[in-house]
């Protein structure tokens, strides 16, 4: 019976832990994107907002929008806000010139794997330190003290190794830009060297990104990565991380060896007082073999620890941004490579809002003696809001026109950069308009 209760308690604890993790994950997702909550609140039968708003036929002014229509459109408009194509291009250009295009924050899967490595590392250190921490205290107090020390150590290691990896990438990038600047200075005429600088000006995200188009790429990069005109980066965090990793790996290995030798002395003393036997030589050989195997395993654990920290540094080197405002630029464009990819989810959501508005109209007609020809949709609402000065709602039609203009400009630029048509005997291809975004939808 006791074993059954213990099993139930363990299963209950596991279920509670999994439930907490699931709730936290759900809240994190909903905090990131609350559109599903808004949509469900409208679609609920009987008590949903569609059912309640369909009974409200009041209007603010005669012949205008009904109050329920405006409420629905405004509720959903919070989830379809987007930056303009021009603003998207500005943020993308900042990332490109800072050499952050293609980089991204740490993915959740990588973050989870690093977390799992941290937990396993912490458990290993806890088992090692528990036999040495406050030996005159109770078992529970020793484990609690050990857990706190190991948790602090694990958090420090994660922060230090990540900072070291990020600093390593940033410093290598800046010094590469400086080397290219020095190489160009060597071949530049003496009269031009005084006007050549490592950075021309510090460029922020709010500045016009074409302000340094006449400068080389390495100057454009330094303008957005360097914090001061003479910033060449530093390897301080790399040295700190290296010293910390080597110190912890060495001390933990020595601690394991001391623990092993203490256990062996205790076993030898027990064998001595228990009296020797004919198998004393065989026992000694077996003990030597076990000692050698234990020492080897300790050094393997040290190597595994060092490799784990190098993985943390590699994550810091591979992910994250070095531009001063590249993180803001990445969040603004949602990590998308082009505006069509960025705006596609908004267009789908607008279609959903149109569907909900049509549903509201049909439900309203049930309370009216005659059918009404509804001529208002969410696109009409967006256009009226833009006339009122709202800039975070984009008209899909205008977006399609902007995409067409951009495509024609790209074709014209490519045609101007190609050799003359007479040199090849072929006429350059005429630019074709891109298909309308509404047609794609």
């Amino acid at each position: 019976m006791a074993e059954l209760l213990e099993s139930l308690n363990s299963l209950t604890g596991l279920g509670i832990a999994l439930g907490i993790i699931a709730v936290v994950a759900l809240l994190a997702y909903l905090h990131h994107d609350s559109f599903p909550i808004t949509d469900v609140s409208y679609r609920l039968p009987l008590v949903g907002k569609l059912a309640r708003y369909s009974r409200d036929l009041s209007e603010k002014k005669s012949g205008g929008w009904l109050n329920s229509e405006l409420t629905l459109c405004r509720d959903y408009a919070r989830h379809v806000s987007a930056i303009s194509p021009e603003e998207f291009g500005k943020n993308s250009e900042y990332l490109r010139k800072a050499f952050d295009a293609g980089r991204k924050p740490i993915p959740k899967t990588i973050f989870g794997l690093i977390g799992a490595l941290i937990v396993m590392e912490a458990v290993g250190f806890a088992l090692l330190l528990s036999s040495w921490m406050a030996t005159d205290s109770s078992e529970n107090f020793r484990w609690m003290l050990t857990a706190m020390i190991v948790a602090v150590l694990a958090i420090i290691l994660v922060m230090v190794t990540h900072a070291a990896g990020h600093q390593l990438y940033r410093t290598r990038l800046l010094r590469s830009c400086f080397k290219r600047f020095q190489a160009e200075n060597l071949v530049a005429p003496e009269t031009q060297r005084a006007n050549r600088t490592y950075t021309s000006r510090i460029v922020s995200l709010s500045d016009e990104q074409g302000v340094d188009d006449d400068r080389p790429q390495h100057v454009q990069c330094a303008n957005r990565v360097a914090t001061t005109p003479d910033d060449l980066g530093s390897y301080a965090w790399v040295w700190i991380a290296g010293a910390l990793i080597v110190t912890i790996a060495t001390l933990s290995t020595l601690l394991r060896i001391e623990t092993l030798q203490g256990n062996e002395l205790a076993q030898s003393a027990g064998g001595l007082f228990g009296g020797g036997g004919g198998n004393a030589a065989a026992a000694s050989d077996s003990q030597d073999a076990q000692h050698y195997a234990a020492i080897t395993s300790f050094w393997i654990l040290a190597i595994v620890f060092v490799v784990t920290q190098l993985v943390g540094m590699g994550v810091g080197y591979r992910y994250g941004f070095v531009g001063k405002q590249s993180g803001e630029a990445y969040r603004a464009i949602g990590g998308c490579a082009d505006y069509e990819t960025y705006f596609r989810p908004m267009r789908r959501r607008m279609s959903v809002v149109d569907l909900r508005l049509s549903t509201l109209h049909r439900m309203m007609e049930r309370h009216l003696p005659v059918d009404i020809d509804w001529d208002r949709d969410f696109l009409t609402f967006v256009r009226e809001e833009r006339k009122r000065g709202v800039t975070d709602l984009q008209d899909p039609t205008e977006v399609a026109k902007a995409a067409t203009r951009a495509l024609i400009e790209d074709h014209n630029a490519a045609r101007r950069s190609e050799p003359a048509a007479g040199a090849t005997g072929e006429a350059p291809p005429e630019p074709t308009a891109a298909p309308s975004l509404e047609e794609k939808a």
Side-chain angles (χ1 to χ4, degrees):
M1 186 65 180
E3 293 180 357
L4 178 60
L5 291 176
E6 183 179 354
S7 176
L8 289 176
N9 287 334
S10 62
L11 290 175
T12 303
L14 179 62
I16 292 174
L18 293 176
I20 292 174
I21 293 174
V23 170
V24 169
L26 179 62
L27 290 177
Y29 170 75
L30 294 177
H31 175 73
H32 173 70
D33 184 9
S34 58
F35 178 79
I37 296 180
T38 300
D39 198 39
V40 169
S41 68
Y42 270 87
R43 298 179 63 187
L44 285 174
L46 300 179
V47 295
K49 291 183 179 181
L50 283 176
R52 289 186 284 116
Y53 291 169
S54 64
R55 302 182 184 91
D56 182 11
L57 304 177
S58 62
E59 55 186 0
K60 193 166 291 186
K61 87 178 165 178
S62 179
W65 288 81
L66 300 181
N67 290 329
S68 54
E69 291 178 305
L70 287 175
T71 303
L72 183 148
C73 290
R74 287 169 181 164
D75 284 347
Y76 277 100
R78 295 182 292 112
H79 306 292
V80 295
S81 60
I83 60 177
S84 65
E86 294 76 16
E87 194 69 20
F88 184 93
K90 182 179 179 180
N91 286 276
S92 298
E93 187 71 358
Y94 185 93
L95 289 171
R96 185 186 68 81
K97 290 186 175 181
F99 281 62
D100 277 330
R103 292 180 68 87
K104 56 184 178 181
I106 302 177
K108 293 181 175 60
T109 53
I110 301 296
F111 192 81
L113 289 175
I114 295 295
L117 288 175
I118 293 171
V119 170
M120 289 186 283
E121 255 182 25
V123 171
F125 276 114
L127 293 174
L128 175 64
L129 296 177
S130 61
S131 59
W132 293 89
M133 297 295 299
T135 55
D136 56 342
S137 303
S138 65
E139 185 74 14
N140 290 336
F141 179 78
R142 281 196 298 140
W143 272 103
M144 182 178 66
L145 182 62
T146 302
M148 288 190 295
I149 294 175
V150 169
V152 170
L153 185 62
I155 293 172
I156 290 175
L157 280 172
V158 169
M159 294 179 64
V160 170
T161 54
H162 181 77
H166 183 269
Q167 187 184 65
L168 180 62
Y169 176 78
R170 180 180 182 274
T171 301
R172 290 189 62 186
L173 180 63
L174 283 175
R175 297 193 179 184
S176 173
C177 292
F178 187 71
K179 286 181 180 178
R180 292 180 61 184
F181 162 70
Q182 288 179 316
E184 289 188 358
N185 261 2
L186 292 177
V187 298
E190 188 70 28
T191 56
Q192 297 182 5
R193 291 183 184 179
N195 298 326
R196 299 179 65 84
T197 55
Y198 166 55
T199 58
S200 59
R201 55 168 293 176
I202 303 300
V203 180
S204 66
L205 189 58
S206 59
D207 295 332
E208 180 61 41
Q209 295 305 307
V211 70
D212 55 357
D213 281 347
D214 58 336
R215 299 286 182 166
Q217 284 188 343
H218 59 85
V219 176
Q220 295 175 0
C221 176
N223 286 345
R224 290 159 180 80
V225 177
T227 55
T228 59
D230 57 349
D231 182 11
L232 295 179
S234 169
Y235 290 114
W237 279 115
V238 179
W239 287 109
I240 292 173
L244 190 61
I245 292 170
V246 172
T247 301
I248 293 176
T250 303
L251 292 180
S252 62
T253 303
L254 293 177
L255 185 59
R256 290 187 181 100
I257 293 174
E258 289 296 326
T259 303
L260 175 65
Q261 291 177 346
N263 294 336
E264 289 177 348
L265 287 175
Q267 292 176 2
S268 299
L272 178 63
F273 288 107
N279 296 328
S284 177
D285 293 340
S286 176
Q287 188 175 4
D288 290 342
Q290 291 177 0
H291 178 83
Y292 177 77
I295 295 295
T296 303
S297 65
F298 293 160
W299 286 113
I300 291 175
L301 288 175
I303 294 173
V304 170
F305 169 78
V306 172
V307 171
T308 302
Q309 306 315 309
L310 292 178
V311 169
M313 290 182 64
V315 170
Y317 186 92
R318 173 64 182 82
Y319 297 101
F321 307 99
V322 292
K324 295 183 296 295
Q325 293 179 289
S326 291
E328 299 174 26
Y330 181 88
R331 287 189 294 272
I333 66 175
C336 298
D338 54 75
Y339 194 80
E340 169 60 23
T341 305
Y342 167 79
F343 194 71
R344 189 179 298 123
M346 304 304 166
R347 190 185 297 106
R348 286 198 294 263
R349 289 185 176 186
M350 288 183 176
S351 299
V352 172
V353 181
D354 266 334
L355 182 60
R356 301 292 174 262
L357 190 58
S358 299
T359 303
L360 177 65
H361 290 159
R362 290 196 304 270
M363 296 176 71
M364 283 180 169
E365 289 177 353
R366 300 174 187 171
H367 305 282
L368 296 171
V370 295
D371 293 339
I372 296 180
D373 184 16
W374 304 95
D375 58 351
R376 296 185 292 267
D377 56 12
F378 186 68
L379 183 57
T380 305
F381 172 82
V382 169
R383 288 171 177 167
E384 291 183 5
E385 289 294 294
R386 287 181 60 82
K387 288 180 181 178
R388 292 176 53 242
V390 177
T391 59
D392 58 351
L393 289 176
Q394 305 301 323
D395 184 349
T397 304
E398 295 299 324
V399 169
K401 291 179 180 178
T404 302
R405 288 195 300 269
L407 182 61
I408 293 175
E409 289 174 1
D410 290 344
H411 275 287
N412 290 337
R415 185 171 58 181
R416 286 192 297 268
S417 63
E418 290 176 356
T424 60
E426 297 180 1
E430 290 292 330
T432 56
S436 164
L437 295 185
E438 291 185 332
E439 292 176 0
K440 291 183 180 179

